[in-house]
Amino acid sequence: MAAVRFADPIDLAAVYESGQTFCWERAGDGWVACPEGRPAFFRQDGQGLLIQADDPDEAFFRAYFHLDYDLLALRGRLCGDEPALAALNACPGLRLLRQPFFETLCAFLLSQNNNIARIRASMRHIARKGRKMEAFGHEAWAFPGPEGVLALQESGLREAGAGYRAPYLLAAARAVAEGFDHASLAALPREEARARLVALRGVGPKVADCVLLFACGRLDACPVDVWIERALSPLFPRAKGREGLCRAAQERWGADAGYVQQALFYSQRMQAQAGRGARASGGRA
DNA sequence: TACCAGGAGATCC
DNA sequence: GGATCTCATGGT
């Protein structure tokens, strides 16, 4: 077991809690995951991010954690944009992952009308049907490929809690098994990339944007869900619907829209969580 | 019990 | 092209 270290600023808890990955599992003082069949243990200390893996391929993990995205330069581009900077300040070490395409597509197919805890539970259930591996003494499960998901059949996916979304996962698995070209999504014009994803059954604009953002590394994609709608509506009062908010965000933040969106999502949820905590303890927010 | 959750498809007008 | 219903399912 070897290790690779990155000194770049990162907040792994924010990455985990920000609803972009459902394939990490807490282990000791860090997390285990198995992207692209590479079992790895992540944790952070005073010196940055430490990754322990059998094959700690530096280039692979630098890309996985999207470390080439310069957060300091982003702050420069957002100079004077108070709402965006406030969201960034709520999670200074947030990073956007570039995750494997198929498992990300499955995760966000499961996300529709669902909550993060249940998505995570379903993904864990399906991953347990994949390959068992080991990362730094912790077990790590490689999410099955399309053939593995097809083998589960609808009944197996319903057992995982997929509910009415089970046929969507099967259709996605079939498409990928038959050669759906996901490699080109990173470079295509945004609307065309989105349209290709929306052509898949169960994939709408929001799920497509999540896949573009969290798997294809497209930080110009800006998924708008209930939380982002709440955050963006006051900023763009004239925008019509979620599509209107999406376009307005892209016009304002351009190639950084996806990152700003994710910081807003995380800070909104943290605020809501803090509010619930204060009410539960009888305090006044 | 009713409502909500990182929505999308079907149907109606 | 909007508005509305429905889809599983567990938590609050």
Side-chain angles (χ1 to χ4, degrees):
Chain A
M1 182 69 61
V4 59
R5 180 181 286 286
F6 296 102
D8 309 69
I10 189 165
D11 180 348
L12 288 177
V15 173
Y16 177 71
E17 297 291 347
S18 65
Q20 57 176 308
T21 181
F22 304 97
C23 299
W24 287 17
E25 296 210 27
R26 275 208 169 276
D29 57 348
W31 287 266
V32 290
C34 202
E36 306 284 9
R38 297 167 185 260
F41 175 76
F42 316 132
R43 71 181 172 87
Q44 62 184 104
D45 55 24
Q47 301 172 57
L49 167 63
L50 180 67
I51 300 171
Q52 285 162 304
D54 285 334
D55 174 22
D57 183 324
E58 185 171 338
F60 174 83
F61 285 106
R62 174 164 282 281
Y64 178 71
F65 281 99
H66 220 138
L67 294 175
D68 291 329
Y69 187 64
D70 187 341
L71 298 181
L72 203 58
L74 169 65
R75 286 181 170 275
R77 291 193 291 277
L78 295 175
C79 183
D81 190 328
E82 292 307 324
L85 287 173
L88 262 63
N89 288 336
C91 43
L94 178 67
R95 291 279 172 184
L96 293 194
L97 300 174
R98 249 188 292 227
Q99 302 173 81
F101 174 79
F102 180 63
E103 65 184 52
T104 308
L105 175 59
C106 290
F108 285 96
L109 279 168
L110 288 170
S111 77
Q112 65 165 271
N113 206 24
N114 208 345
N115 61 59
I116 289 178
R118 289 195 67 236
I119 301 164
R120 198 164 271 148
S122 292
M123 288 295 285
R124 184 180 300 130
H125 188 111
I126 297 170
R128 292 287 189 276
K129 308 294 182 186
R131 201 154 34 112
K132 184 180 179 181
M133 304 179 86
E134 189 194 310
F136 198 56
H138 305 284
E139 62 180 45
W141 294 84
F143 194 82
E147 293 80 7
V149 168
L150 285 169
L152 284 175
Q153 303 183 319
E154 183 165 338
S155 58
L157 293 169
R158 285 184 182 270
E159 278 175 28
Y164 68 94
R165 310 166 193 88
Y168 301 162
L169 269 74
L170 290 177
R174 212 167 290 124
V176 172
E178 289 170 359
F180 179 85
D181 176 20
H182 56 85
S184 64
L185 296 177
L188 283 171
R190 183 177 62 234
E191 289 307 318
E192 189 179 341
R194 197 191 206 202
R196 289 197 184 185
L197 285 166
V198 168
L200 298 171
R201 185 164 174 75
V203 178
K206 193 271 175 182
V207 170
D209 284 339
C210 284
V211 174
L212 291 174
L213 182 58
F214 302 128
C216 303
R218 294 201 59 144
L219 276 69
D220 56 343
C222 182
V224 180
D225 70 339
V226 288
W227 295 89
I228 298 302
E229 187 174 14
R230 283 175 210 147
L232 294 185
S233 293
L235 301 181
F236 307 112
R238 293 196 302 176
K240 282 190 142 184
R242 293 189 181 181
E243 281 299 292
L245 290 170
C246 179
R247 281 192 297 275
Q250 283 165 335
E251 283 170 20
R252 177 148 161 181
W253 297 307
D256 300 310
Y259 189 93
V260 174
Q261 173 277 148
Q262 191 63 6
L264 284 167
F265 178 81
Y266 181 72
S267 57
Q268 285 269 311
R269 288 179 56 92
M270 289 301 107
Q271 279 175 30
Q273 209 173 71
R276 281 197 301 275
R279 281 193 297 278
S281 64
R284 283 186 293 178

